[in-house]
């Protein structure tokens, strides 16, 4: 497979931007075109529910590079330009403005928030959080005394809750599971997050689905009930899709000229030995780099374990690994959640996931503990 022809990247998010940048770092000299449906240059999303929402950072700080950088690196980033279809046999994409041939196509179309009809029909101002515009609109709406109903006690719901409390809004979080973050962390550690938010004055309503009446007193509603991978384009083209675009360890799809990376990629993971689709920042970067390696012929399997971080109030935490469908037998913890804290999820005597909270010196050791015997209790 040659590396010289045009590389077309669909999706100007972090994964697509990293793939383009890494191609140049690897000495790829051919044409690179990045199509981005949004009107912005590629940017990172984590600050949108943290520093940007809190007003600590401008949304400009979230940009991966400024316009001059893309120009200097001869990467043609076409903002406001949506790819409408892919012709796999003819190796070209069709956009709102015409056609573009490719030698290699990298799909990095990301995900979009799942909608909640009950909220959309509530008659209240309803906020979802995915884009710069969403973040700035929500920031304006979060004011002292505002009654904010958050539907979903996942990462985004809880980060918004923390930001809203910081400005003095009154916050209720509605979560159908018995604890926030229950599905990811399990009851042992999820309980600590519940306590953290209650200690900061959040009214957590758990274990029952939200109703229209629950939203009736709110001034605004924030919905954070997860995101769906944008796989429509890949599916319509005839690529293999099953909760994500199916890719191998080199990020190759069922078509040998097409790769998929970031939130949409359901990858056969060489270390985990099964498919994973990871909706996290680090995965967008790692798979972007790995796609560039595949295109330039160095074939480096993407084997990094899933990694995630969050900031809520004064808590900063990192989580490494993936418990997966087989679950865990027990959780071992060290320290107090209000200070340095660590946790290990263990199955069959092996750590399958690990986290540190407010213990940044332990970051490397926490990562390295995954796949090993648990540390001394
Ligand atoms: C508010 C928020 C906070 C987050 N915080 C964290 C965090 O703290 N830690 C963490 O690990 N992860 C976090 N994430 C997740 C992380 O941001 C994502 O995993 C990451 O953005 C995925 O990158 P991506 O490039 O795959 O997709 P995206 O960032 O979604 O980018 C995809 C881009 O493709 C464009 N696109 C889609 N279809 C087309 C088309 N047909 N033509 C052209 N362009 C198209 C979209 O408009 C979009 O701009 C957060 C996400 C959000 C929304």
């Amino acid at each position: 497979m040659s590396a010289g022809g045009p590389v077309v990247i669909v999706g100007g998010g972090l994964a697509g931007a990293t793939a383009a940048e890494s191609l140049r770092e690897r000495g790829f000299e051919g044409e690179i075109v990045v199509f981005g449906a949004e009107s912005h240059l590629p940017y990172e999303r984590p600050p949108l529910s943290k520093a940007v929402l809190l007003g600590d950072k401008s949304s400009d700080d979230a940009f991966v590079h400024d316009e001059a950088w893309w120009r200097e690196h001869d990467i043609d980033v076409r903002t406001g330009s949506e790819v409408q279809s892919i012709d796999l046999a003819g190796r070209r994409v069709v956009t709102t403005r015409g056609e573009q041939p490719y030698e290699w196509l990298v799909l990095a179309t990301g995900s979009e928030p799942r909608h909640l009809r009950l909220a959309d029909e509530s008659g209240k101002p309803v906020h979802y959080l995915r884009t710069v515009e969403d973040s700035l609109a929500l920031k304006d709406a979060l004011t002292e005394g505002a009654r904010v109903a958050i539907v979903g006690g996942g990462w985004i719901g809880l980060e918004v809750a923390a930001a809203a409390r910081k400005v003095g809004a009154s916050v209720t979080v509605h979560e159908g599971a018995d604890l926030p973050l229950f599905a990811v962390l399990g009851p042992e550690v999820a309980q600590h997050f519940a306590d953290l938010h209650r200690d900061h004055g959040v009214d957590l309503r758990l274990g029952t689905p939200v109703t229209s009446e629950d939203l009736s007193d709110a001034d605004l509603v924030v919905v954070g009930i997860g995101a769906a991978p944008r796989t429509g384009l890949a599916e319509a083209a005839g690529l293999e899709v099953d909760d994500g675009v199916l890719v191998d360890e080199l990020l190759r799809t069922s078509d040998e000229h097409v790769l998929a990376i970031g939130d949409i990629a359901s990858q056969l993971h060489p270390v985990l030995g099964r498919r994973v689709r990871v909706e996290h920042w680090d995965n967008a970067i790692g798979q972007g780099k790995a796609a560039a390696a595949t295109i330039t012929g160095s074939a480096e399997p993407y084997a990094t374990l899933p990694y995630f971080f969050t900031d809520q109030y004064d808590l900063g935490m990192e989580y490494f690994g993936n418990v997966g469908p087989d679950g865990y037998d027990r959780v071992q913890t060290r320290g107090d959640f209000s200070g340095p804290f660590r946790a290990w999820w263990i199955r069959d005597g092996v750590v399958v996931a690990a986290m540190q909270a407010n213990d940044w010196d332990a970051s490397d050791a926490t990562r390295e503990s995954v796949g090993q015997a648990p540390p001394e209790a």
Side-chain angles (χ1 to χ4, degrees), residues 320-339:
F320 303 90
N322 185 288
V323 168
D326 295 334
Y328 59 88
D329 307 327
R330 65 187 178 93
V331 179
Q332 188 171 307
T333 63
R334 185 184 293 167
D336 188 282
F337 203 65
S338 57

Side-chain angles (χ1 to χ4, degrees), residues 9-17 35-38 43-50 78 81-85 108-112 129-131 155-156 159 230 233 261-264 278-285 307-311:
I9 299 173
V10 186
L14 185 57
F35 289 102
E38 293 185 62
Y43 61 89
E44 304 198 5
R45 298 183 199 274
L48 304 184
S49 53
K50 306 176 187 69
R78 301 194 193 162
S81 194
E82 186 174 342
V83 170
Q84 295 175 316
S85 63
T109 47
S111 11
E112 55 199 319
L129 186 47
R130 187 79 203 169
T131 64
W155 300 114
I156 288 193
E159 288 178 1
R230 277 197 204 92
L233 200 59
I261 56 173
D263 279 13
I264 58 161
V278 180
E279 293 177 359
H280 295 330
W281 172 90
D282 183 64
N283 178 72
I285 295 175
Y307 162 81
F308 176 80
F309 62 91
T310 185
D311 298 323

Side-chain angles (χ1 to χ4, degrees), residues 289-308:
K289 290 181 179 172
T294 298
I295 291 171
T296 52
S298 42
E300 295 162 17
Y302 182 66
T304 307
L305 285 171
Y307 162 81
F308 176 80

Side-chain angles (χ1 to χ4, degrees), residues 178-253:
D178 288 341
L179 286 168
L181 302 172
F182 184 90
V184 198
L185 300 179
E188 301 85 352
V189 178
Q191 183 63 53
H192 290 299
F193 277 90
D195 296 342
L196 175 76
H197 283 271
R198 286 197 168 120
D199 289 349
H200 282 84
V202 173
D203 180 0
L204 279 185
R205 311 234 178 126
L206 305 172
T208 166
V210 68
T211 64
S212 305
E213 292 74 59
D214 289 329
L215 307 182
S216 59
D217 289 336
D219 296 316
L220 67 136
V221 178
V222 182
V223 180
I225 56 168
R230 277 197 204 92
T231 54
L233 200 59
E235 210 162 350
L239 295 169
E240 283 179 24
V241 172
D242 181 12
D243 180 42
V245 182
L246 302 190
V247 295
D248 65 10
E249 68 275 13
L250 298 178
L251 288 327
R252 295 175 300 195
T253 68

Side-chain angles (χ1 to χ4, degrees), residues 311-325:
D311 298 323
Q312 297 172 31
Y313 311 105
D314 292 331
L315 177 113
M317 90 71 138
E318 295 180 298
Y319 177 99
F320 303 90
N322 185 288
V323 168

